[in-house]
Each structure stands twice: as C-alpha cells, then as structure tokens.
C-alpha cells in the first residue's frame, strides 16, 4: 500500500470510512425515526437512551482506534506479521471489554439513569430499550476490531457493503418488531433495541465470512490464532485509553447535555431529538474523514515523513467542509421540506420548534469540520495524551456553560446548542497550535 498527500489518496481512504463509520449513527437514527411514528414518549426516551448507548459503542470503537493506529504504523513500516498480531490483540481485548460493559449495563444502568432522569416514563422506557439492546455489545465490539484492520491497511471498501447490510436489516426489523408486522410481536421501544442487536450480529457474520474468503489479507492473517500477547495489548491499550477517555468525555458531555435538557420539559427533549437526528446525518462525513486522518497521519509518522501530516490535515479540512456544507445547507435552510419525507407530518410541530436551532447547527458544522480533523490528526500522530488534555479542557468548559444556560432563567434550547460552537472553536485553537511546531511544517 502506497499513500500520498493528494486529494485522491485522501478520498480513497476516507470515502468508504465515511459510510462505514456511520454504523452506530444509522442504527440510532433508524430507531429514532420509527419510534417518532409510535409516540412522543417513545421518541423522547430513545433520544436519551440512544445517547447513552452511543457512548457504549464509542468505548469499543475508541479501543479499536488504538489497534487501527498500530496497524497503519506497521503497514507504513512494511511489517505484515505485526499487522496481524495487532489485529488479533485488538480482538482479544475487545471481547474482554464487551463482557465488562455488558455487566455494567445489566447491573449499573438502573442507578445511572435514576440519577439523571426525573420522568418515570422516560426512565422505564429507557431501561426497556436497554434490556434488549445490551446484547449487541459483543457484535459491536468485535465488528469494530474488523473495521480497524481494514481501515488500518487502507482497504475499507467492504465496510460500505457491511454498513448497508446493517442498515437494511435494522430498518426491516425495526418496522417488524416495533409495530408487530410480518408476523412478529409488537414490542415497542424494546423491539427497537432487539432489532438493532440482531442487525449487528448479521453484519458481523457477513464481515467475518468476507474476511475468511479475502485472499489479500492472508499476508497479515496467517495460520492459527496467535497467543494472547500481554505486551502488545498493553501497547494498544496505552494508545487507546486516552482515545476512549476522549470519546467518553466528549459524548458524555452530550449525554450530560441531554439529561439537563429534560429540565426544559419532555417536549424539549423530543425537539432536541429532532435536532440530534439532523446532527447525526450531517456529522457522518466529518467522522469518516477523521478516521481517515488517523490512518494517514499514522502512516506518514511510521514512514518518518511528519512534514506531510500537516498537508494532509489542511486538504482533508477542505474536503470535509465542502462535503458537510453540500449535505447540510439544504437541511438547515429547508428543514421541513428535507425532513418531511423522513419524519412525515405525525408531529410536524416538533420540526417547527427546532427551526431556530438549525441555524446554530450551521455554525457547529463549520467549526466541527476544522477542529475534528486537526484533533484527529493529533491522535493519528500518536499524541493521544496531549489530545486527552485538550478534550477534557474543552469538555469541562462546555459542560460548565451548558449548566449555566439550562439553570438560568434566560436559557433555552437554542442558546444551549450554541455552546457547542464554543467547544469546537476552543478545540481547533488548541490542536492548531500544536501543529505550528517546526517539525510539522511542510517543506
């Protein structure tokens, strides 16, 4: 594999990842859309509990990013045997982690939700969803390990196919299990959780079947399974812990935000979920480019070509901003017309109530495109501890601002969402400052 700093090379790595990295966003959005048609209570509840489950998924994905960075670095160093060892070590750790997270969701989620939610309806519906959704954590965590391999070796095309299979399966099962169609039982919000869980197992089975038949990856995955390698796992975990902590801090701050929004009332939580659906759709390109930057930055660091990293960052920002605005402007300028085919007129008053926040969303997307790329370039370059410091600093400022806005008499949902612009501006400033150092300057 030979990568360059060209736009074509960035597209080659990033575009399949953009689709593949949308997996959890697609699942969360599909569940939300179907529950939107069922009842406002179900729709409000999924907005809360899905934010929690995305954190669960992000923990597994974050640890897989450490494996991805190691894999990409060994590819740059032309050490295929080490690529395979890194992949299997990632699989072993993800499986152990899935057991731990499953136990937390089984025995700890009740107390966590009780401390955050005031509404009994939202509380019990969230637990009902999680009861069936928690079983999917094993498929999710093993799936991201497979994605880490194909992303790290810059062959992410099949990730697109697998994500499409995941989405189609989830859509069919959501309709079947939420509303009791095609001979399936009507399970409501619990059906949404079960549908997503089954869809993840189907997607994992397809991915594993593809890997077994893929001759090109046999240079990395030779012979029998290697033994558990504590030293390599510690190295991967050392890279991953700051990434996971960053994910938990970042998504946890949004979960904190969602919990506080309930103080504006259940209706505000439902409106917030409308905005979240739009944000999930529009942030897909940026997260895909971020993962691509992880691979590219790690690859050039492995080849001792650090000066090329900053070139890749600016070019990726240009692509990310262009694609994001191309997708985002129609939704932001004409939200009712664009979202109507997706959400219909069942609760059109929720879309109307969200209008003011869509303009704030435009500012978020612009600052997000710059900040997320530079920040993930920092991670790909192996500076995960520094990135953790930056993320934590920004999250603390963000949560403090959110708390003031929600608890004050003048605060509202629009002002609360605008605090995310402050978050991303601060994140970009810190990350950009790091890459101004001489060793990152292009020749």
């Amino acid at each position: 594999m030979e990568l360059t700093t060209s736009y074509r090379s960035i597209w080659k790595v990033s575009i399949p990842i953009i689709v593949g990295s949308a997996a959890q966003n697609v699942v969360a959005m599909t569940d939300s859309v179907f529950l939107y048609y069922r009842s406002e209570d179900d729709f409000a509840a999924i907005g809360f509990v899905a934010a929690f489950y995305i954190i669960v998924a992000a923990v597994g994905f974050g640890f897989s990013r450490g494996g991805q960075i190691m894999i990409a670095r060994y590819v740059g160093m032309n050490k295929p045997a080490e690529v395979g060892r890194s992949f299997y070590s990632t699989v072993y750790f993800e499986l152990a982690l899935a057991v731990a997270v499953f136990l937390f969701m089984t025995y700890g989620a009740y107390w966590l939700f009780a401390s955050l939610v005031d509404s009994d309806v939202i509380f019990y519906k969230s637990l009902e969803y999680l009861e069936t959704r928690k079983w999917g954590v094993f498929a999710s965590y093993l799936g991201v390990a497979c994605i880490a391999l194909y992303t790290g070796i810059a062959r992410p095309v099949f990730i697109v196919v697998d994500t499409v299979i995941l989405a189609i399966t989830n859509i069919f099962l959501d309709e079947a299990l939420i509303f009791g169609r095609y001979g399936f039982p009507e399970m409501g919000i619990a059906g949404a959780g079960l549908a997503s869980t089954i869809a993840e197992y189907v997607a994992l089975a397809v991915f594993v079947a593809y890997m077994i038949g893929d001759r090109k990856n046999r240079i990395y995955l030779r012979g029998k399974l290697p033994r558990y390698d504590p030293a390599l796992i510690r190295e991967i975990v050392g890279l991953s812990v700051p990434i996971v902590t960053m994910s938990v801090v970042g998504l946890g701050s949004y979960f904190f935000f969602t919990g506080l929004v309930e103080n504006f009332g259940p209706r505000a939580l439902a409106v917030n979920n409308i905005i979240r659906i739009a944000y999930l759709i529009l942030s897909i390109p940026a997260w895909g480019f971020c993962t691509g930057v992880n691979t590219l930055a790690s690859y050039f660091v492995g080849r001792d070509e650090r000066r090329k990293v900053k070139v890749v960052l600016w070019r990726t920002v240009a692509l990310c901003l262009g694609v994001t605005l191309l997708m985002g402007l129609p939704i932001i300028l004409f939200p009712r017309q664009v979202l109507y085919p997706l959400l219909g007129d069942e609760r059109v008053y929720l879309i109307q109530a969200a209008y003011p926040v869509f303009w704030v969303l435009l500012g978020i997307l612009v600052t997000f495109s710059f900040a997320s790329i530079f920040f993930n370039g920092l991670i790909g370059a192996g500076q995960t501890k520094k990135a953790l410091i930056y993320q934590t600093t920004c999250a603390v400022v963000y949560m403090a601002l959110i708390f003031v806005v929600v608890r004050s008499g003048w605060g509202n949902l629009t002002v609360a969402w605008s605090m995310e612009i402050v978050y991303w501006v601060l994140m970009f400033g810190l990350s950009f400052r790091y890459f101004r150092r001489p060793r990152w300057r292009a020749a």
Side-chain angles (χ1 to χ4, degrees):
M1 178 190 69
E2 186 73 27
L3 296 176
T4 69
T5 61
S6 68
Y7 286 104
R8 181 177 180 179
S9 190
I10 296 170
W11 274 112
K12 178 184 175 182
V13 173
S14 300
I15 292 302
I17 300 173
I18 287 174
V19 179
S21 66
Q24 286 302 325
N25 284 9
V26 167
V27 169
M29 184 180 68
T30 303
D31 290 348
S32 294
V33 169
F34 277 100
L35 291 171
Y36 170 87
Y37 285 100
R38 193 167 195 269
S39 75
E40 187 173 324
D41 286 339
D42 283 332
F43 185 61
I46 195 64
F48 171 77
V49 71
F52 167 76
Y53 196 83
I54 286 177
I55 297 174
V56 170
V59 170
F61 184 63
F63 277 108
S64 77
R65 292 270 287 280
Q68 174 198 329
I69 290 169
M70 291 290 295
I71 288 167
R73 190 162 301 168
Y74 283 129
V75 169
M77 297 167 68
N78 195 26
K79 294 183 177 180
E82 297 302 313
V83 170
R85 289 177 61 241
S86 297
F87 166 69
Y88 285 119
S89 294
T90 303
V91 169
Y92 297 154
F93 184 79
E94 290 282 356
L95 187 57
L97 183 65
V99 172
V101 172
F102 176 82
L103 292 174
F104 172 78
M105 287 190 287
T106 301
Y107 300 106
Y110 180 95
W111 309 105
L112 177 64
F113 291 0
S115 66
L116 293 173
V117 177
D118 294 327
S119 168
D120 287 343
V121 173
I122 301 299
F123 175 72
Y124 286 109
K125 283 186 175 292
S126 296
L127 290 177
E128 188 180 350
Y129 174 83
L130 198 62
E131 186 62 29
T132 53
R133 189 70 182 94
K134 65 184 180 183
W135 296 95
V137 69
F138 299 100
S140 175
Y141 282 19
L142 292 176
V144 293
C146 298
I147 290 173
L149 172 64
Y150 279 82
T151 303
I153 64 176
R155 288 186 53 220
V157 175
F158 187 75
I159 298 173
V160 176
V161 177
D162 203 56
T163 302
V164 171
I165 292 171
L166 171 69
I168 291 173
T169 306
N170 194 44
I171 289 170
F172 170 77
L173 290 175
D174 262 342
E175 184 174 7
L177 293 170
I178 291 173
F179 300 105
R181 294 173 182 164
Y182 316 119
F184 288 86
E186 183 178 351
M187 299 175 64
I189 194 169
L194 182 58
S196 299
T197 294
I198 295 172
E200 286 188 326
Y201 278 102
V202 170
L204 175 63
V206 171
F207 210 130
V208 170
Y210 172 78
M211 289 178 64
I212 292 172
D214 183 9
R215 295 183 178 181
K216 291 183 179 179
N217 73 15
R218 292 176 187 174
I219 188 176
Y220 310 114
L221 310 180
R222 300 174 180 175
K224 61 181 182 180
L225 294 176
R227 292 181 179 180
Y228 176 81
D229 188 338
L232 184 55
I233 289 178
R234 280 196 299 270
E235 192 172 358
I236 292 173
V237 171
L239 274 174
S240 301
V241 166
I243 298 174
V244 172
T245 307
M246 285 182 280
S247 297
V248 172
V249 168
L251 292 170
S253 61
Y254 177 73
F255 186 54
F256 172 80
F257 168 78
T258 304
L260 285 179
V261 163
E262 194 199 13
N263 287 270
F264 292 139
R267 176 63 54 81
L269 198 57
V271 172
N272 187 68
N273 204 16
I274 291 285
I275 302 160
R276 187 180 68 89
I277 289 173
Y279 197 12
L280 285 174
I281 296 170
L282 299 178
S283 64
I284 286 171
W287 288 123
F289 280 116
C290 286
T291 308
V293 159
N294 288 157
T295 294
L296 290 163
S298 184
Y299 175 84
F300 287 121
V301 169
R303 292 176 65 90
D304 198 25
E305 296 177 335
R306 289 176 177 269
R307 63 183 179 79
K308 292 185 177 181
V309 172
K310 196 172 178 181
V311 177
V312 167
L313 294 181
W314 279 116
R315 291 181 176 179
T316 306
V317 165
L319 290 173
C320 179
L321 186 61
V323 173
T324 300
L325 290 179
L326 187 65
M327 287 179 56
L329 284 175
I331 295 179
I332 291 165
L333 295 175
F334 311 105
R336 182 172 180 177
Q337 289 82 350
V338 176
L339 293 176
Y340 181 84
L342 186 66
L343 300 176
D345 58 0
E346 291 288 318
R347 270 163 284 280
V348 71
Y349 56 86
L350 296 178
I351 300 177
Q352 292 172 340
Y355 278 175
V357 187
F358 281 112
W359 288 101
V360 175
L361 201 55
L362 179 61
I364 292 173
L365 291 170
V366 172
T367 52
F368 179 41
S369 296
F370 282 86
S372 60
I373 297 302
F374 269 79
F375 180 69
N376 278 274
L378 195 66
I379 295 171
Q383 298 298 318
T384 54
K385 292 181 180 178
K386 190 174 291 293
L388 173 59
I389 294 171
Y390 292 171
Q391 174 100 23
T392 303
T393 301
C394 296
V396 168
V397 172
Y398 171 74
M399 288 190 291
L401 291 172
I402 289 297
F403 185 82
V404 170
V405 169
V406 173
R407 295 295 187 183
S408 66
W410 48 266
N412 56 43
L413 197 59
T414 304
V415 177
W417 268 91
S418 68
M419 294 302 101
E420 188 157 338
I421 296 176
V422 178
Y423 174 87
W424 289 118
V425 168
L426 182 58
M427 180 73 78
F428 175 68
L430 292 171
S431 303
F432 178 75
R433 180 173 172 269
Y434 176 81
F435 282 106
R436 291 188 65 187
R437 296 180 179 184
R439 64 174 174 166
W440 298 105
R441 291 175 185 167

